Amino acid sequence: MWFDGTVARRSDLAAFLRARRAGVSPAEVGLVPGARRRTPGLRREEVALLAGVSVSWYTWLEQGRQINVSADVLDSLARVLRLDAVETDHLHQLADSPRVAIATSANPDVPPWALRLLDSLAPAPAYVLGPTWDYLAWNDEQATLFPQLATLEAPHRNLVWAMFAVPETRQLIIDWEDEARRVLSQFRADITPLRDDPTVAALIDALHNASDEFATWWERHDVAAFQTRLRRFRTPNGPRVFEYQQLVAAGAPQLRFVVQLPLPPDSLQ
């Protein structure tokens, strides 16, 4: 697939706005619904009116045209569409008005101290992710918990690929669908600045072909931030429960350490 400039991000921006517009009822923004609505949510002209922009301009935005958008206007659209903080950041990134620094898709080197840190976290399974959620390193406990990790070829040594395209993952993770949806929404939020990168585009294309669930849920344009949570696994030795935590080292912000803290089995209750 060929990409030019910010084509993919503009396409995602258009689809994101349409999806969020459909999810807001007239009553939520103080409008009278009326009797002749053929589709759910707000009309384009209603969004434009409430955001203080012209209908033509907003229509162009939903068509993915390459037009300039100020941060103030994006904030107005976020308010009208009732976006949360993560969705608002996502909107700014898609519109080329980022409120955070643009990242690079290139995987950084894993320094020796990072490997020592992984080993010191035992008995907690732990691993390091790069900017596009590639597995860069892991400890022995993680390899025991998810043996398929060691057999993944380099292009597919990726957490999202493992979640959606490795059959064993569906058996390993209890409540796989909920976890997969959560992973996808967090991944989408994280890679927004890299959406036009060929590496990211190739990964997303491959996932579309590998997983019907990915292809369906990707079109929902859900985004979310990481939240500490419990994840439950089926293992040969019985159910195991872990508390998920993420760490970012001050000197290596592109490295994300994911630590799975073991909890007692009764945490399943």
Side-chain angles (χ1 to χ4, degrees):
M1 182 176 291
W2 181 75
F3 285 85
D4 178 23
T6 58
V7 171
R9 260 190 290 169
R10 284 290 167 156
S11 177
D12 278 0
L13 171 62
F16 180 69
L17 288 171
R18 291 193 298 268
R20 292 299 170 267
R21 176 166 62 85
V24 180
S25 70
E28 288 180 287
V29 293
L31 297 177
V32 178
R36 300 187 62 183
R37 288 183 178 267
R38 298 181 180 178
T39 58
L42 298 176
R43 299 186 176 110
R44 284 178 175 172
E45 56 267 28
E46 292 169 338
V47 173
L49 173 65
L50 292 168
V53 298
S54 73
V55 177
S56 296
W57 183 91
Y58 180 74
T59 299
W60 294 339
L61 199 61
E62 277 203 6
Q63 291 173 344
R65 296 196 190 186
Q66 198 73 20
I67 59 175
N68 294 325
V69 192
S70 72
D72 288 342
V73 169
L74 292 171
D75 286 336
S76 293
L77 289 173
R79 173 182 51 79
V80 173
L81 298 174
R82 305 175 71 84
L83 304 185
D84 62 23
V86 177
E87 291 170 326
T88 300
D89 281 340
H90 183 62
L91 176 66
H92 278 258
Q93 295 280 8
L94 291 174
D96 301 320
S97 179
R99 303 196 296 183
V100 296
I102 296 296
T104 172
S105 68
N107 285 324
D109 293 332
V110 180
W113 62 260
L115 301 177
R116 293 194 294 271
L117 176 57
L118 284 177
D119 289 339
S120 71
L121 291 168
Y127 51 89
V128 177
L129 295 179
T132 58
W133 290 36
D134 287 342
Y135 290 106
L136 303 184
W138 54 90
N139 61 12
D140 290 342
E141 287 72 19
Q142 176 64 24
T144 299
L145 179 65
F146 184 47
Q148 290 74 24
L149 179 55
T151 64
L152 290 175
E153 297 182 1
H156 294 155
R157 196 170 292 158
N158 179 279
L159 188 151
V160 187
W161 180 268
M163 178 64 77
F164 283 92
V166 177
E168 291 84 356
T169 306
R170 298 169 186 254
Q171 297 303 314
L172 177 65
I173 299 177
I174 299 173
D175 300 322
W176 175 85
E177 181 173 332
D178 290 342
E179 289 297 323
R181 285 176 178 268
R182 191 192 306 263
V183 162
L184 183 55
S185 63
Q186 293 167 1
F187 171 72
R188 180 158 211 153
D190 271 4
I191 56 89
T192 303
L194 306 172
R195 185 63 182 90
D196 291 285
D197 188 290
T199 301
V200 174
L203 173 62
I204 293 171
D205 280 349
L207 283 163
H208 268 90
N209 293 328
S211 168
D212 291 340
E213 292 92 344
F214 180 94
T216 298
W217 299 339
W218 184 256
E219 299 307 314
R220 292 177 56 88
H221 291 268
D222 292 334
V223 290
F226 174 84
Q227 291 181 329
T228 296
R229 65 190 186 278
L230 300 186
R231 183 176 281 179
R232 300 164 172 85
F233 291 84
R234 301 181 185 92
T235 75
N237 298 319
R240 296 195 66 186
V241 186
F242 297 94
E243 180 183 79
Y244 262 57
Q245 298 287 355
Q246 282 192 10
L247 309 173
V248 178
Q254 285 192 286
L255 296 179
R256 179 177 316 191
F257 291 79
V258 180
V259 186
Q260 302 165 101
L261 303 174
L263 295 179
D266 59 9
S267 299
L268 277 169
Q269 303 299 324

